[in-house]
Amino acid sequence: MKDFAPYIISQGNSILEALRRLNDLSGKATTLFVVDDAGRLTGTLTDGDVRRALISGGTLEMPVENAMHRDFRALRGDSIDVAAIRAIRALRINMVPRLNADGSIAEIYDFTRLRSILPIDAVLMAGGKGERLRPLTLNTPKPLLKVGDKAIIDYNIARLARNGITNITVTTNYLAEQIEQHFATEVEGVMVKCLKEPCRLGTIGAVKLVRNFSHDHLLVMNSDLLTSINLEDMYLSHIDSGAQLTVAVISYMVSVPYAIMRSENNRIVGLEEKPTYNYYANAGIYLFNRNLISLIPENEYFDATDFLDRIIAEGGKINQFPINGTWIDIGSPDDFRQAGELMKHKQMLDF
């Protein structure tokens, strides 16, 4: 939350003043954070706290500290504990402060608007030509094609922003000026940075050019995906696995319309009638420890598959994270039409 001043009240203010402040927050999360004269958080106050205080014999003139809730939940320090955030949300606590070492409020997170706070930087790859979608992409870069009421890439920016990821860089190449103009102002409340490739660098090579990282973990994804992936689940899976890199994967089934022979040394030993095989396919979303950027060469064409091969060759551990939800790689006219149909029901699809 950029401006949390309306949510702060002094513990010496009256209950009447608190009611005025709560009324001003109507339509938003209605919690006040009570501070002492030094600005340290001492409690929280809601309509319910005021009501209970008045029922117990309190007056409108008594100080807020007599009614505030003292056993509050808060995050502390600069590091973000995602598991702790999930536990707080499970208690249906909608607003949580993060405190400085001296107890003052550094930030307030509003979980009526946010899904999580992930300590991640993000890079969206948007340099491709989208040739399979021509003529739609002759004059418009694929990430800026409209699906429903907004550009494809903006759905991904929105998902990142709702997970507290605001350090976002978009790498560009084809029709780069249009993407730069698109992000010249805030999108989904975030100032997105653009970085143009000096030449085609593949599906992950441009990450080497990014310099403004602020976290130890980096999310890299294709910008032309439409997905309801749970990024918090992916992050926790990555941390719990101890892997260096986690790849989001999508289930892909192959049905064989014939009976398949099982044989040994050319001798048929059985038949399997029209079997179905299930595989996991690369979904184009990668979460990895930032130090792995050293494996990406400078100014060379380098795909994500090359990156994975290099990590495996060096004995690194790669984890997979299945997406349980919507995933569309908008690479063809049929995909584009399907995405448009899905967006008619986006409230049902977690977009």
Side-chain angles (χ1 to χ4, degrees):
M1 183 182 297
K2 293 180 179 178
D3 180 17
F4 53 80
Y7 293 88
I8 307 299
I9 190 168
S10 171
Q11 63 186 22
N13 285 142
S14 69
I15 292 294
L16 181 59
E17 174 61 19
L19 286 172
R20 290 194 185 102
R21 300 282 292 280
L22 288 167
N23 186 66
D24 289 342
L25 295 176
S26 179
K28 304 176 183 177
T30 51
T31 298
L32 292 176
F33 294 89
V34 186
V35 298
D36 62 15
D37 292 340
R40 295 172 299 217
L41 182 64
T42 56
T44 60
L45 190 77
T46 65
D47 284 315
D49 295 320
V50 172
R51 184 173 62 252
R52 284 184 287 273
L54 294 176
I55 290 173
S56 298
T59 67
L60 292 175
E61 290 73 31
M62 76 178 188
V64 163
E65 64 179 324
N66 290 2
M68 69 185 185
H69 182 70
R70 298 175 184 273
D71 186 20
F72 54 85
R73 298 288 182 127
L75 303 172
R76 300 175 190 276
D78 294 329
S79 62
I80 298 296
D81 185 339
V82 177
I85 289 173
R86 173 170 280 191
I88 289 171
R89 286 204 327 270
L91 297 173
R92 298 189 177 183
I93 298 173
N94 288 330
M95 299 193 72
V96 179
R98 179 172 62 83
L99 304 183
N100 295 311
D102 63 358
S104 61
I105 298 175
E107 179 64 280
I108 293 176
Y109 301 119
D110 180 358
F111 290 113
T112 65
R113 301 173 184 270
L114 293 170
R115 296 181 180 182
S116 189
I117 306 295
L118 301 181
I120 293 173
D121 299 319
V123 177
L124 274 63
M125 315 302 288
K129 293 184 177 180
E131 292 177 329
R132 288 184 296 156
L133 273 172
R134 289 185 174 177
L136 293 175
T137 53
L138 284 174
N139 299 305
T140 303
K142 182 166 63 168
L144 295 189
L145 292 177
K146 288 286 187 72
V147 173
D149 59 355
K150 58 186 176 184
I152 296 169
I153 194 171
D154 288 352
Y155 289 102
N156 294 312
I157 299 296
R159 184 163 297 274
L160 295 172
R162 286 199 299 273
N163 281 277
I165 303 170
T166 56
N167 187 15
I168 304 171
T169 302
V170 174
T171 63
T172 65
N173 190 310
Y174 177 66
L175 299 177
E177 297 77 11
Q178 290 188 37
I179 297 176
E180 291 167 2
Q181 181 60 37
H182 181 75
F183 290 114
T185 56
E186 285 189 357
V187 171
E188 303 294 337
V190 178
M191 282 304 303
V192 175
K193 295 171 283 292
C194 292
L195 180 63
K196 186 176 180 180
E197 298 174 333
C199 57
R200 291 190 66 211
L201 294 175
T203 56
I204 206 167
V207 172
K208 191 77 170 187
L209 304 174
V210 183
R211 302 288 184 232
N212 62 325
F213 297 120
S214 56
H215 294 101
D216 292 332
H217 292 93
L218 176 63
L219 182 81
V220 175
M221 65 183 294
N222 299 339
S223 63
D224 52 5
L225 301 176
L226 197 64
T227 178
S228 60
I229 185 173
N230 188 315
L231 292 176
E232 184 182 74
D233 282 351
M234 185 179 184
Y235 173 81
L236 291 174
S237 172
H238 177 71
I239 298 300
D240 291 344
S241 72
Q244 292 171 286
L245 182 145
T246 293
V247 182
V249 295
I250 190 75
S251 179
Y252 186 80
M253 289 193 298
V254 177
S255 297
V256 180
Y258 310 105
I260 298 300
M261 306 296 181
R262 287 187 286 109
S263 61
E264 296 176 1
N265 298 321
N266 292 326
R267 176 173 172 264
I268 295 174
V269 296
L271 295 135
E272 189 174 359
E273 186 67 31
K274 298 179 180 178
T276 297
Y277 302 101
N278 189 53
Y279 301 95
Y280 281 115
N282 184 353
I285 305 172
Y286 314 93
L287 178 62
F288 55 91
N289 302 353
R290 197 176 81 189
N291 58 10
L292 291 184
I293 295 174
S294 63
L295 299 180
I296 300 174
E298 296 269 4
N299 295 318
E300 287 184 26
Y301 189 96
F302 197 69
D303 281 333
T305 50
D306 301 322
F307 188 47
L308 269 63
D309 285 342
R310 186 163 291 186
I311 294 169
I312 293 169
E314 297 202 357
K317 181 179 179 181
I318 299 179
N319 178 44
Q320 69 177 19
F321 175 77
I323 297 175
N324 296 315
T326 302
W327 180 87
I328 302 176
D329 178 7
I330 305 176
S332 70
D334 285 343
D335 295 329
F336 187 62
R337 282 190 291 271
Q338 182 188 3
E341 287 299 313
L342 281 174
M343 281 303 101
K344 293 178 182 179
H345 311 285
K346 63 183 178 181
Q347 297 302 323
M348 299 169 57
L349 295 169
D350 192 29
F351 282 98

